[in-house]
Amino acid sequence: MKTINLIIVFLLSLLATSCSSDETQPLATDETAGLSLVTELSNANHTVQLYTPTGFLQQGYNAISIRIKNNATGKYEENASLSWMPLMQMMTMQHSCPRSAINKAPGTPTLYSGYVVFQMAQNDMEHWQLAINYTINGQAYAVSGQVNVPPSARQRVASFVGYDGNRYVVALVSPETPQVGTNAITVAVFRMQDMMTFPVADNLTLIPDPRMPGMGNHGSPVNSSLVQEATGGFYQGTVSLTMTGYWKISLIMKNASGDIIKGEAVTDTTPASSLYLEMEF
């Protein structure tokens, strides 16, 4: 009986140890869940991985996530500071595009995130080059390489000179998957300061007028103007999409004084504004 009791105590001890061990083990998380690898840029020390929700880049707004893998250890770096510079290499010149700072993605130890708005697509003679500079433990590194930016199927970005003489870039941020009914819409607006610098354009209003060109150019009710919630932010409003199909979202952009910077009202003789974005679902 004494032997049996000792066996029972031993088994209970093992079970308790196992349970305690299970409770203290952190659950493994996949930081790139919902993301797909776009490309990798490498140097002798690191491989910098670029991810997007779709697994590719395209003309317009792109939310991009980044991880830095140490080539020697195979581990991902947790304490890096990053910046980037996209450059369109044209036949006779080069220019950049709107982009955000790169910050640590919330709740992730090794994932960094930002956005780039490619206002034009690549072609047979011109392409985008992406340079990423980063610092780890006071040591500076850099990677660069060509990235594939094909044209988007619909107009997700517009670049133009406004009636005020400034050049702007307007890009659709969301919805990524429009639905029948009222859709929250987010648009980013940037002003070109020079060929390399594109700050957010503040204190504007964008008035949307969704139309279906293939259905008699009919519109929709209950659309709200897009405005900023805070300086330096994107513009948010609503558009009503009453059925599935192709929609052209005509826009009128006004400054803080109410003066029109770009766009026209849709009429019987003006079927679309000169400033518009497109959706299809």
Side-chain angles (χ1 to χ4, degrees):
M1 179 65 69
K2 185 176 181 179
T3 301
I4 294 175
N5 288 338
L6 288 173
I7 293 172
I8 292 173
V9 170
F10 177 71
L11 292 174
L12 289 174
S13 176
L14 286 177
L15 181 61
T17 302
S18 175
C19 290
S20 175
S21 176
D22 289 344
E23 289 173 359
T24 58
Q25 287 294 323
L27 294 175
T29 59
D30 181 4
E31 294 181 52
T32 59
L35 301 173
S36 297
L37 182 66
V38 175
T39 191
E40 295 181 332
L41 305 174
S42 299
N43 56 31
N45 303 98
H46 302 99
T47 298
V48 178
Q49 301 174 334
L50 273 61
Y51 295 83
T52 67
T54 59
F56 57 84
L57 302 173
Q58 62 178 327
Q59 183 182 10
Y61 174 88
N62 295 264
I64 302 173
S65 298
I66 299 173
R67 287 206 298 180
I68 304 173
K69 185 171 70 173
N70 188 300
N71 292 338
T73 66
K75 295 181 179 180
Y76 290 95
E77 302 290 349
E78 298 187 10
N79 296 296
S81 298
L82 302 91
S83 64
W84 50 13
M85 175 60 77
L87 284 176
M88 165 55 78
Q89 304 291 346
M90 305 185 73
M91 295 291 292
T92 59
M93 57 172 287
Q94 61 181 13
H95 64 78
S96 187
C97 62
R99 72 245 180 224
S100 71
I102 304 174
N103 297 303
K104 179 67 75 70
T108 62
T110 68
L111 202 63
Y112 304 82
S113 62
Y115 67 80
V116 176
V117 178
F118 297 107
Q119 71 267 43
M120 62 184 296
Q122 66 191 30
N123 56 54
D124 291 341
M125 304 299 293
E126 301 165 326
H127 66 271
W128 285 96
Q129 191 86 5
L130 180 62
I132 298 178
N133 296 311
Y134 59 99
T135 302
I136 302 172
N137 297 326
Q139 180 68 45
Y141 304 93
V143 293
S144 65
Q146 184 174 332
V147 291
N148 189 41
V149 184
S152 56
R154 293 297 183 187
Q155 181 158 299
R156 302 171 61 246
V157 62
S159 178
F160 58 89
V161 176
Y163 304 141
D164 59 358
N166 292 312
R167 179 171 290 278
Y168 294 90
V169 176
V170 174
L172 178 65
V173 177
S174 66
E176 297 177 1
T177 54
Q179 300 178 357
V180 173
T182 301
N183 289 255
I185 181 172
T186 301
V187 169
V189 184
F190 307 90
R191 179 179 56 82
M192 189 179 80
Q193 181 174 310
D194 54 47
M195 298 294 282
M196 301 297 165
T197 313
F198 296 77
V200 170
D202 292 312
N203 303 315
L204 304 173
T205 301
L206 289 87
I207 304 170
D209 186 353
R211 298 280 174 158
M212 291 198 82
M215 299 290 291
N217 212 40
H218 73 73
S220 65
V222 196
N223 303 290
S224 66
S225 295
L226 285 72
V227 295
Q228 284 178 309
E229 291 187 354
T231 300
F234 292 161
Y235 290 80
Q236 299 178 346
T238 59
V239 289
S240 177
L241 308 177
T242 55
M243 60 188 298
T244 60
Y246 164 63
W247 288 85
K248 180 177 282 190
I249 314 298
S250 286
L251 296 168
I252 296 176
M253 189 168 81
K254 296 183 177 182
N255 63 19
S257 300
D259 301 320
I260 295 176
I261 296 175
K262 184 69 172 177
E264 303 80 28
V266 177
T267 65
D268 291 340
T269 56
T270 306
S273 172
S274 57
L275 173 58
Y276 67 90
L277 299 168
E278 297 177 310
M279 300 181 191
E280 187 169 14
F281 64 104

